[in-house]
Amino acid sequence: MNNDESLQLENQLCFRLYSLTKLMNRHYSPVLKKLGLTYSQYIVMLVLWENNNTNSAISVKHLGVKLDLDSGTLSPLLKRLEKQGLISRLRNSEDERSVEIKLTRSGCQLKAQAQDIPAQMFSVTGMSIDDLQGLNNQLDNLLVTMNTK
Amino acid sequence: MNNDESLQLENQLCFRLYSLTKLMNRHYSPVLKKLGLTYSQYIVMLVLWENNNTNSAISVKHLGVKLDLDSGTLSPLLKRLEKQGLISRLRNSEDERSVEIKLTRSGCQLKAQAQDIPAQMFSVTGMSIDDLQGLNNQLDNLLVTMNTK
DNA sequence: GTAATTTAAGTTGTACACAATTTAATTTCA
DNA sequence: TGAAATTAAATTGTGTACAACTTAAATTAC
């Protein structure tokens, strides 16, 4: 492959990831709109729903590590979720630097309405379980490699 | 595999695409910063560099189709590239609705500085050419499927 | 031939992402 | 102990994305 060819858009993995992520978002948007959520808000809620089994709060820091997002993104996002009445934000009395996030009753109840979103999205991919798993593994390898460089 | 497990897998796919795209961007940013470009500006420049062989202008509309971006994104982005002296924006005299984008001399010269970026990014993936091609094909299939639903 | 429709850019408003900075609390350690 | 360093959130500023809308030009349909 010569230099000019490698500069071409079609050759680039990154452009496909970028396009696919935008496309994925466009499929999620109308579905999530019914719950009043954006995709980023949705993945925050997923973490909180998963965690609510143990009934413990999650710090903004911990959410950031889980989702690979910093406080510059999370702080305003969480304020919006609080405004919608889905979460509560409370300073940790043991460590006043930390803010603990908990689901409200309303936020907890929203989980039921989100239950069939993954199935809906899976059908959009048109993939088999095996192909999906294979792709997941490849992306996982790429994530690990690129995170450690 | 039961239904619940497959639903979880689908969540992982979307989240991995989302995380990987952010990660890609973080690897591109410091490299592109030397050229004074963001990733979005870079892919616009890629299209213009590719097209400049024929020395013809490209409309905003055409750029939008190529990159899957609307005028709401492109208009302000192109204004910034114009401000940097990399491109010119000119109303098409044959069709006054259309705005034609052309590289300036400076924009054309920038191509040389971008020549080894793809190779650099490829090395970050740690992938073989074959694996890369395989992944590209899978992503292409997904793009086609999700675009036609 | 002109009214209705379509098309291309641009504008406005919302919500990320993230770099850089600020503020306040906690920890380290000299 | 107390100054220096670290940590957690929040804030500020820039630049996407995109929905919804506006404006102006071109096309069509009658």
Side-chain angles (χ1 to χ4, degrees):
Chain A
M1 194 187 296
N2 65 36
N3 257 355
D4 225 51
E5 279 167 4
S6 70
L7 259 186
Q8 281 171 21
L9 208 52
E10 304 82 49
N11 288 333
Q12 305 206 4
L13 170 67
C14 194
F15 183 65
R16 289 181 172 86
L17 288 172
Y18 163 80
S19 300
L20 207 41
T21 298
K22 283 192 301 172
L23 193 51
M24 183 264 292
N25 228 307
R26 284 179 215 150
H27 280 280
Y28 265 107
S29 280
V31 177
L32 291 175
K33 196 167 193 174
K34 292 169 191 163
L35 317 200
L37 297 175
T38 64
Y39 179 72
S40 306
Q41 291 166 4
Y42 171 64
I43 59 176
V44 166
M45 293 301 285
L46 280 181
V47 173
L48 295 173
W49 286 328
E50 193 179 329
N51 188 76
N52 203 43
N53 300 324
T54 66
N55 211 33
S56 66
I58 295 186
S59 67
V60 174
K61 168 72 180 171
H62 185 54
L63 267 175
V65 170
K66 269 253 182 191
L67 300 173
D68 194 19
L69 291 170
D70 69 5
S71 66
T73 302
L74 284 175
S75 287
L77 187 155
L78 292 168
K79 275 193 182 172
R80 276 173 221 120
L81 290 180
E82 186 186 39
K83 206 170 182 176
Q84 290 176 248
L86 299 175
I87 63 161
S88 64
R89 289 155 67 246
L90 210 75
R91 284 277 162 189
N92 184 335
S93 57
E94 312 248 312
D95 185 342
E96 290 279 345
R97 292 172 303 179
S98 179
V99 167
E100 305 293 328
I101 307 298
K102 280 185 81 171
L103 287 169
T104 60
R105 178 177 306 276
S106 166
C108 210
Q109 286 168 343
L110 196 67
K111 183 180 184 178
Q113 279 177 260
Q115 212 67 51
D116 50 353
I117 290 177
Q120 226 173 312
M121 289 302 129
F122 173 62
S123 82
V124 173
T125 67
M127 292 178 78
S128 71
I129 298 278
D130 282 351
D131 287 348
L132 186 62
Q133 194 137 40
L135 183 53
N136 270 337
N137 289 338
Q138 288 170 82
L139 297 182
D140 210 34
N141 291 337
L142 202 46
L143 275 162
V144 170
T145 306
M146 292 182 66
N147 256 319
T148 54
K149 274 196 183 178
Chain B
M1 187 178 298
N2 65 34
N3 218 26
D4 260 23
E5 280 166 354
S6 69
L7 306 190
Q8 214 168 350
L9 272 183
E10 162 50 22
N11 273 332
Q12 286 172 18
L13 174 65
C14 286
F15 183 63
R16 277 163 208 223
L17 286 172
Y18 162 81
S19 300
L20 207 40
T21 299
K22 283 192 301 173
L23 194 51
M24 282 279 192
N25 228 308
R26 284 179 216 152
H27 280 279
Y28 265 107
S29 280
V31 176
L32 291 176
K33 198 168 192 174
K34 293 170 190 162
L35 317 200
L37 297 175
T38 64
Y39 179 72
S40 306
Q41 291 166 3
Y42 170 64
I43 60 177
V44 166
M45 293 301 285
L46 279 182
V47 173
L48 295 173
W49 285 328
E50 195 177 329
N51 190 81
N52 203 43
N53 299 325
T54 65
N55 211 33
S56 66
I58 294 186
S59 67
V60 174
K61 168 72 181 171
H62 186 53
L63 267 175
V65 170
K66 269 251 181 191
L67 300 173
D68 195 18
L69 290 171
D70 70 4
S71 67
T73 302
L74 283 175
S75 286
L77 187 155
L78 292 168
K79 274 192 183 173
R80 278 175 218 118
L81 289 181
E82 187 185 39
K83 208 170 181 178
Q84 291 177 246
L86 299 175
I87 63 160
S88 64
R89 289 155 67 247
L90 209 76
R91 285 277 161 189
N92 185 335
S93 57
E94 312 248 311
D95 185 343
E96 291 278 345
R97 292 171 304 178
S98 180
V99 167
E100 305 293 328
I101 307 298
K102 279 185 82 170
L103 288 169
T104 60
R105 179 177 307 275
S106 165
C108 210
Q109 285 168 343
L110 197 66
K111 183 179 184 179
Q113 280 178 258
Q115 213 65 245
D116 48 354
I117 290 178
Q120 220 174 318
M121 288 303 128
F122 172 62
S123 82
V124 173
T125 66
M127 294 177 77
S128 70
I129 298 273
D130 282 351
D131 287 348
L132 183 64
Q133 197 134 42
L135 182 53
N136 273 339
N137 288 338
Q138 287 171 81
L139 297 182
D140 277 343
N141 290 337
L142 202 45
L143 275 163
V144 169
T145 306
M146 290 181 67
N147 256 318
T148 54
K149 273 195 184 176

